[in-house]
Amino acid sequence: MGKRIRAQRKGNGAGPYKTRNIHKIAKPQYRSLDYSERQGYLRGVVRRLLHEPGRGAPLAEVAFRDTLQSGKDIQYFLAPEGVYTGQFVYCGAKAELKIGNVLPIGKLPEGTVCCNVERFTGDRGKLARAAGASAVIVAHSEDGKTRVRLPSGVKKTISSDSRATVGLIACGGKTEKPILKAGTQYYKFKAKGRKQWPRVRGVAMNPVEHPHGGGNHQHIGKPSTVSRLTPAGRKVGLIAARRTGRLRGGKAAVHQVERFD
């Protein structure tokens, strides 16, 4: 009987693979969708811009007036490029089309660059959240749907009531700086607080440790595609792959593999 492979050891993210939250500030997300945003807008002010260890994009601490009781409602947004401390941020259907404001994507003109897009209305932001990431409004339809191009190039159809932030996420050039040495990479992943690096290749292991291990030369020795129903200890490689290989044949072939909802 062989050893448990890396995917089995990770499980649901326990032990060394669990993300530490000791240095985390908050989960960046929108306000809960309420009447104020559906029918009008709500004004907030950017108190400060923060760096969270392990996250490439900066956070913006935005203070709103609490609509249910006296006091302030503090929210943490992913900071778009160009947002500054003291700036007023407007959230709602009647907000102005301006960098940093949050509007339903149905109110954004075609070609608008946006970020932190909601996959479903009210989920508080799920798509295009990485540093420098952005989505583009492609087209609107009359049945309340909007076509959006995501950072991966995939075009997705989502509800026009889903919210998005105007602009793109800040710190887009952070990946252009070369790593240069292993120590830089070590501290980069150490900040994320879970065991991600270094990552040993399966072909470099022994047969007892990995399905791709063993042999006189480092090679897989079998097809790398496996079924979705493969047992956990063998489920490595290209799992339930629809296709393999390069995309060839020009734009026509590329458009065929796009996912449409």
Side-chain angles (χ1 to χ4, degrees), residues 27 30 40 42 63 101 121 159-160 180 185:
K27 181 180 180 180
Y30 295 135
L42 210 63
N101 289 354
T121 304
S159 172
S160 297
L180 295 181
Q185 190 84 322

Side-chain angles (χ1 to χ4, degrees), residues 50-209:
L50 305 167
H51 167 69
E52 185 178 74
R55 184 184 295 275
L59 303 185
E61 184 183 284
V62 184
F64 293 93
R65 177 181 58 85
D66 198 320
T67 58
L68 300 178
Q69 58 188 2
S70 61
K72 298 292 185 180
D73 179 19
I74 306 299
Q75 299 289 339
Y76 292 89
F77 290 177
L78 291 169
E81 190 80 34
V83 169
Y84 55 89
T85 305
Q87 175 181 345
F88 287 119
V89 174
Y90 297 88
C91 300
K94 296 185 179 180
E96 182 183 359
L97 185 64
K98 185 179 178 182
I99 297 293
N101 289 354
V102 180
L103 294 87
I105 58 174
K107 302 289 184 180
L108 302 178
E110 296 178 1
T112 302
V113 176
C114 57
C115 59
N116 198 13
V117 184
E118 288 184 331
R119 178 66 184 88
F120 301 102
T121 304
D123 65 13
R124 307 177 76 174
K126 299 295 182 184
L127 308 174
R129 291 166 57 93
S134 62
V136 179
I137 306 298
V138 176
H140 300 289
S141 62
E142 297 180 357
D143 59 348
K145 301 290 184 180
T146 298
R147 192 81 163 160
V148 179
R149 186 171 74 246
L150 300 180
S152 63
V154 171
K155 295 182 178 67
K156 189 172 287 289
T157 303
I158 57 181
S159 172
S160 297
D161 295 329
S162 298
R163 293 172 291 179
T165 303
V166 181
L168 53 89
I169 303 291
C171 292
K174 68 182 300 294
T175 57
E176 297 175 5
K177 182 179 179 180
I179 298 295
L180 295 181
K181 58 182 184 178
T184 306
Q185 190 84 322
Y186 169 79
Y187 286 109
K188 169 188 172 183
F189 284 100
K190 184 181 179 182
K192 294 183 181 297
R194 59 185 181 273
K195 175 66 174 68
Q196 285 186 291
W197 188 89
R199 186 182 181 93
V200 180
R201 294 166 297 134
V203 293
M205 299 181 186
N206 295 317
V208 72
E209 297 162 345

